[in-house]
Amino acid sequence: AMRGHSGWTEQWASPEPRKTYDVVIVGAGGHGLATAYYLAKEHGITDIAVIEKGWLGGGNTGRNTTIIRSNYLYDESAALYDHAVTLWEGLSQDLNYNVMFSPRGVLMLSHNEHDRQGAQRHIHANRLNGVDNEWLTPDECKAYCPPLNISANTRYPVIGGALQRRGGTARHDAVAWGYARAASARGVHVLQNTTVTGIRRSADGRVAGVETTRGFIGARKVGVVAAGNTSVVMDMAGVRMPIESYPLQAVVSEPVKPCFPCVVMSNTVHAYVSQSDKGELVIGAGTDQYPSYSQTGSLSIFNHTLDAIAEMFPIFRRMRMLRTWGGIVDVTPDRSPILSKTPVPGLYVNCGWGTGGFKATPGSGHVFAHTIARDEPHPINAAFSLDRFETGRFIDEAAAAAVAH
Ligand SMILES: Cc1cc2nc3c(=O)[nH]c(=O)nc-3n(C[C@H](O)[C@H](O)[C@H](O)COP(=O)(O)OP(=O)(O)OC[C@H]3O[C@@H](n4cnc5c(N)ncnc54)[C@H](O)[C@@H]3O)c2cc1C
Ligand SMILES: CSCC(=O)[O-]
């Protein structure tokens, strides 16, 4: 920790920008900070600046409902998200910072025959990929999550659920702080309150650096990790992205004693819930159905979700909601991320995580660092290329995030 200019102990340096760096990362969210950390730790590249227009972790990383799991359908997705879960399991030790990873189990409910068939297909596909996932009967769901209402005479009766026991939650702020602190300790510069306003290319078309609100910063390689703002930033390099940005909201309740032991999700009713370590219910919903850069969202989404939560968990019917907020999620046509080189030499992009990228944070940073360092994708992210939208080799996980996009 360093003594900051204000006298209090800072966990990371706040240096003046140098004129050039080997690598610039645009965006100090979890994915950008993790990328910088693994570039330094795994590849020995430390001449890095992570440039952030606001405060580190202030984007979706600091706004999400922290669900972690890897029970995705496609082989490529299972490999990517399970790589992340494996890194989550040792992350606090690796960073020497408690990210509060809690493998409390993620239970995805089925309410009708369509849900059940889809869930069991996921379970079989996951088992083939070595990803833990198991089918529970309604009584077993109730035993795993006692507040769950499994009576038959409800609008959305529970007919079973798919449980990934290795899934769970983590403290989102701590993930950003842990990576920033560990990257800074290895010499990485984290430049907060600094907006990238342009991407400069040299005569031969290669990336040459970024224009910022603190002047031009030269770089041989630039990684854009700007989530909901990706299209805006990549447009600065003349690269058009297959991304739509939507508001996705969350709400927390008043804090209560520990009463909810896991994560429960339901795609049919567009709701998911867990309980934070401070005691609040952390509730999420579907996205608003219109592109927007607002970090709020419409009330109708919450009314619908809270109706469903109140029916699925009657003990919560009198809970008071404390605050709501939103983030800007970057959604691709096939709902899978883009971790890729780009048509601009030296320019790389990591985006498209939509409503479900927090769970991937360590795995994303790890393989994106490999991609930047070696100028070729890691085998795990090779399929998540930008050009799949030209070749048609989609990885269609639209149903995976268990929320209606
Ligand atoms: C309400 C909500 C709930 C969610 N719940 C979950 C969940 O339960 N589980 C899950 O897996 N995922 C969830 N997600 C998705 C997840 O939060 C994101 O996919 C993930 O955090 C993206 O991380 P990131 O580091 O790429 O983006 P961010 O954390 O958004 O970081 C991008 C950064 O880039 C910066 N930036 C943008 N433009 C510029 C510029 N021009 N110059 C400099 N900096 C710039 C931004 O300020 C931002 O800090 C949720 C998202 C929301 C909004
Ligand atoms: C916001 S949805 C959370 C997830 O994808 O597990």
Side-chain angles (χ1 to χ4, degrees):
M2 280 133 269
R3 181 121 338 255
H5 44 270
S6 52
W8 54 278
T9 303
E10 286 187 322
Q11 297 286 320
W12 44 80
S14 297
E16 287 303 311
R18 288 199 286 267
K19 290 205 178 306
T20 65
Y21 293 87
D22 282 348
V23 178
V24 157
I25 302 291
V26 182
H31 290 233
L33 292 165
T35 300
Y37 171 70
Y38 292 117
L39 275 167
K41 180 192 176 201
E42 306 277 336
H43 304 280
I45 299 172
T46 55
D47 185 20
I48 301 170
V50 183
I51 302 179
E52 168 53 51
K53 68 183 168 86
W55 66 96
L56 69 89
N60 292 341
T61 299
R63 297 168 182 268
N64 74 85
T65 45
T66 77
I67 296 170
I68 295 169
R69 58 189 174 88
S70 56
N71 54 357
Y72 281 69
L73 180 63
Y74 286 86
D75 298 350
E76 299 88 346
S77 309
L80 177 60
Y81 290 101
D82 215 50
H83 179 53
V85 170
T86 303
L87 289 171
W88 277 114
E89 289 165 343
L91 193 58
S92 294
Q93 289 73 20
D94 183 10
L95 299 180
N96 187 27
Y97 199 90
N98 185 4
V99 299
M100 302 171 77
F101 174 61
S102 167
R104 60 186 70 174
V106 176
L107 178 62
M108 299 174 102
L109 299 178
S110 290
H111 300 278
N112 52 56
E113 184 56 15
H114 171 75
D115 286 352
R116 186 192 64 76
Q117 289 181 13
Q120 294 195 338
R121 180 172 68 138
H122 260 79
I123 289 167
H124 299 319
N126 290 161
R127 304 284 283 270
L128 287 172
N129 281 311
V131 173
D132 69 301
N133 201 353
E134 60 193 276
W135 179 254
L136 300 190
T137 64
D139 288 336
E140 289 167 335
C141 289
K142 176 83 174 167
Y144 197 79
C145 183
L148 182 62
N149 175 12
I150 59 168
S151 57
N153 61 343
T154 62
R155 175 76 181 80
Y156 298 102
V158 173
I159 66 168
L163 172 65
Q164 181 179 17
R165 295 178 190 270
R166 282 175 69 224
T169 63
R171 167 76 192 268
H172 47 18
D173 298 324
V175 177
W177 298 338
Y179 273 122
R181 181 174 175 269
S184 177
R186 291 174 182 268
V188 171
H189 280 190
V190 181
L191 306 176
Q192 300 182 78
N193 302 308
T194 307
T195 304
V196 168
T197 53
I199 296 178
R200 191 183 293 181
R201 296 171 61 175
S202 50
D204 63 359
R206 184 179 178 83
V207 79
V210 292
E211 312 290 350
T212 80
T213 45
R214 292 166 76 177
F216 174 71
I217 296 177
R220 288 177 45 249
K221 294 184 174 181
V222 174
V224 175
V225 196
N229 292 276
T230 297
S231 299
V232 173
V233 178
M234 291 300 285
D235 189 49
M236 296 172 187
V239 179
R240 189 160 170 261
M241 296 297 292
I243 294 272
E244 286 191 329
S245 295
Y246 295 93
L248 177 67
Q249 303 176 69
V251 59
V252 288
S253 73
E254 59 189 326
V256 293
K257 292 270 191 272
C259 63
F260 201 84
C262 60
V263 178
V264 171
M265 305 178 75
S266 164
N267 194 11
T268 295
V269 303
H270 302 175
Y272 46 92
V273 57
S274 63
Q275 186 173 19
S276 79
D277 297 310
K278 291 191 289 183
E280 303 141 325
L281 295 182
V282 182
I283 295 170
T287 55
D288 279 76
Q289 296 303 301
Y290 53 83
S292 164
Y293 284 96
S294 80
Q295 288 179 317
T296 54
S298 31
L299 186 61
S300 60
I301 295 283
F302 271 121
N303 288 341
H304 172 76
T305 297
L306 293 177
D307 286 349
I309 294 283
E311 180 180 279
M312 290 196 296
F313 308 100
I315 66 165
F316 296 148
R317 283 179 180 162
R318 296 176 56 201
M319 289 282 270
R320 284 171 295 213
M321 296 300 125
L322 209 55
R323 63 183 180 281
T324 73
W325 66 90
I328 313 164
V329 291
D330 45 331
V331 177
T332 58
D334 63 359
R335 301 312 191 266
S336 284
I338 299 168
L339 288 138
S340 177
K341 299 173 66 174
T342 72
V344 177
L347 181 65
Y348 308 84
V349 67
N350 175 342
C351 67
W353 294 98
T355 63
F358 175 71
K359 62 175 75 72
T361 303
S364 161
H366 193 252
V367 298
F368 194 52
H370 175 109
T371 304
I372 293 174
R374 301 195 185 183
D375 194 34
E376 63 175 16
H378 184 285
I380 287 179
N381 66 299
F384 295 93
S385 61
L386 176 58
D387 67 11
R388 75 174 186 269
F389 298 101
E390 292 167 21
T391 62
R393 181 67 181 81
F394 299 148
I395 304 171
D396 189 354
E397 290 281 4
V403 284
H405 293 295

